[in-house]
Amino acid sequence: MKRSLLIISLSLISFTTKAQDSNTYIQNDAAMFSNRYIFNSDGTFKHFFITDDGQVWYGRGNYFNKGKYRTLYFKDADTTMNEYNGWRIHYETNFQRVLVKKGYGFKSFEKNSNTGKPGVRLKKTAPN
């Protein structure tokens, strides 16, 4: 009886919980720049980089995890997306970027940090 009750309880719990199919990471110390990475569970991602002068850079592609490293492979431009919140989009295409796992986030060694530090720290946002 206890075993069947446990199985029924676990089944009901699994139906009530939501599956999370993406994680969003944002730049931790952004004042003039905004980085947002959306990682989907199918191994794809989207990246939005917004500057203080209103430029929006958008890239998409695949990512692969190996140890503490997440390698992003940016694909060709997704020309179906030509504006973001009313701003014209510039595309990030055909290159790779490596993120390093740091605690619950990542560190990127991008050159667009406005903090005077050589890297950009990304923190995970609350699940949707």
Side-chain angles (χ1 to χ4, degrees):
M1 180 67 181
K2 288 182 181 181
R3 185 175 181 175
S4 62
L5 184 59
L6 177 66
I7 291 172
I8 291 171
S9 298
L10 290 175
S11 298
L12 291 174
I13 289 171
S14 68
F15 287 120
T16 60
T17 58
K18 291 184 190 177
Q20 186 173 347
D21 61 355
S22 68
N23 288 311
T24 302
Y25 291 83
I26 59 171
Q27 188 172 343
N28 198 21
D29 49 6
M32 297 172 60
F33 302 101
S34 171
N35 268 298
R36 178 177 302 268
Y37 288 92
I38 302 169
F39 295 107
N40 298 310
S41 59
D42 64 356
T44 62
F45 74 93
K46 293 181 181 179
H47 176 237
F48 295 93
F49 173 66
I50 303 169
T51 65
D52 61 339
D53 61 353
Q55 292 184 38
V56 178
W57 294 85
Y58 168 70
R60 67 178 178 90
N62 296 345
Y63 70 90
F64 300 95
N65 295 323
K66 187 172 183 181
K68 66 178 187 173
Y69 299 101
R70 177 170 284 182
T71 305
L72 312 177
Y73 295 96
F74 286 78
K75 294 181 179 178
D76 292 333
D78 179 7
T79 56
T80 61
M81 183 167 199
N82 53 18
E83 72 174 47
Y84 178 76
N85 291 338
W87 295 94
R88 191 179 126 226
I89 289 184
H90 304 281
Y91 301 102
E92 299 176 304
T93 59
N94 301 320
F95 71 97
Q96 75 179 36
R97 176 175 292 145
V98 177
L99 304 178
V100 180
K101 184 87 170 146
K102 294 285 186 183
Y104 292 107
F106 289 99
K107 185 170 184 178
S108 172
F109 296 97
E110 301 172 45
K111 302 295 186 205
N112 55 25
S113 175
N114 61 336
T115 62
K117 300 176 185 173
V120 174
R121 292 196 180 275
L122 303 164
K123 67 177 181 179
K124 185 176 180 180
T125 61
N128 300 341

